[in-house]
Amino acid sequence: ARRAALPAPPPPPPPLSPAARAVEGVLERLRRAPPAPFSGVAFEPVEEVAGAVPRRIRLTLCVSGRELVVDLLPARSKGPAFLRSRAFRAVYHEGARPPSPGEVRMLARLLRLLDAGVAGTASR
């Protein structure tokens, strides 16, 4: 009896950039022990958008059961953003719902933590 060939597994994702690894490290610490502003927030693994120029780091969060998708671009890139920090510009992911005012405040706190995480990797 002949066996049908199993489909080939998908190729592994490309390695994350240093900035994306730093962002993932901050999110991992928040997953383990979330401070009060982030209680009730579930963080999905960081994704980098392949082929996007400038490179985008995609954050997917679940806030009170609602999905929120935000793309982080380098701070020096051009274009509109709903939040800016030293390291990043936060833009709405196309097709995703915009964050509420409370979610924007939470994301502003998150960007400050991400800035510190990225700065910490640059100083090593």
Side-chain angles (χ1 to χ4, degrees):
R2 267 184 118 178
R3 285 189 176 167
L6 293 175
L16 293 175
S17 67
R21 283 194 309 272
V23 167
E24 182 61 36
V26 170
L27 297 183
E28 184 56 38
R29 288 190 296 278
L30 290 174
R31 286 182 196 111
R32 284 193 303 251
F38 304 103
S39 62
V41 179
F43 298 97
E44 296 292 321
V46 168
E47 295 176 58
E48 280 190 292
V49 180
V53 177
R55 179 175 249 166
R56 293 171 182 252
I57 299 170
R58 181 155 300 148
L59 300 180
T60 303
L61 309 92
C62 188
V63 182
S64 301
R66 294 173 36 148
E67 186 175 75
L68 180 62
V69 183
V70 176
D71 286 345
L72 300 178
L73 289 86
R76 293 185 177 170
S77 62
K78 304 281 187 234
F82 73 93
L83 282 175
R84 293 179 185 273
S85 70
R86 285 177 289 151
F88 300 108
R89 282 188 322 110
V91 298
Y92 301 121
H93 172 63
E94 189 176 316
R97 71 171 179 83
S100 69
E103 290 167 340
V104 170
R105 287 190 297 277
M106 181 270 300
L107 288 167
R109 288 184 189 109
L110 179 60
L111 281 181
R112 286 193 294 273
L113 292 174
L114 297 178
D115 278 348
V118 169
T121 60
S123 64
R124 287 184 196 163

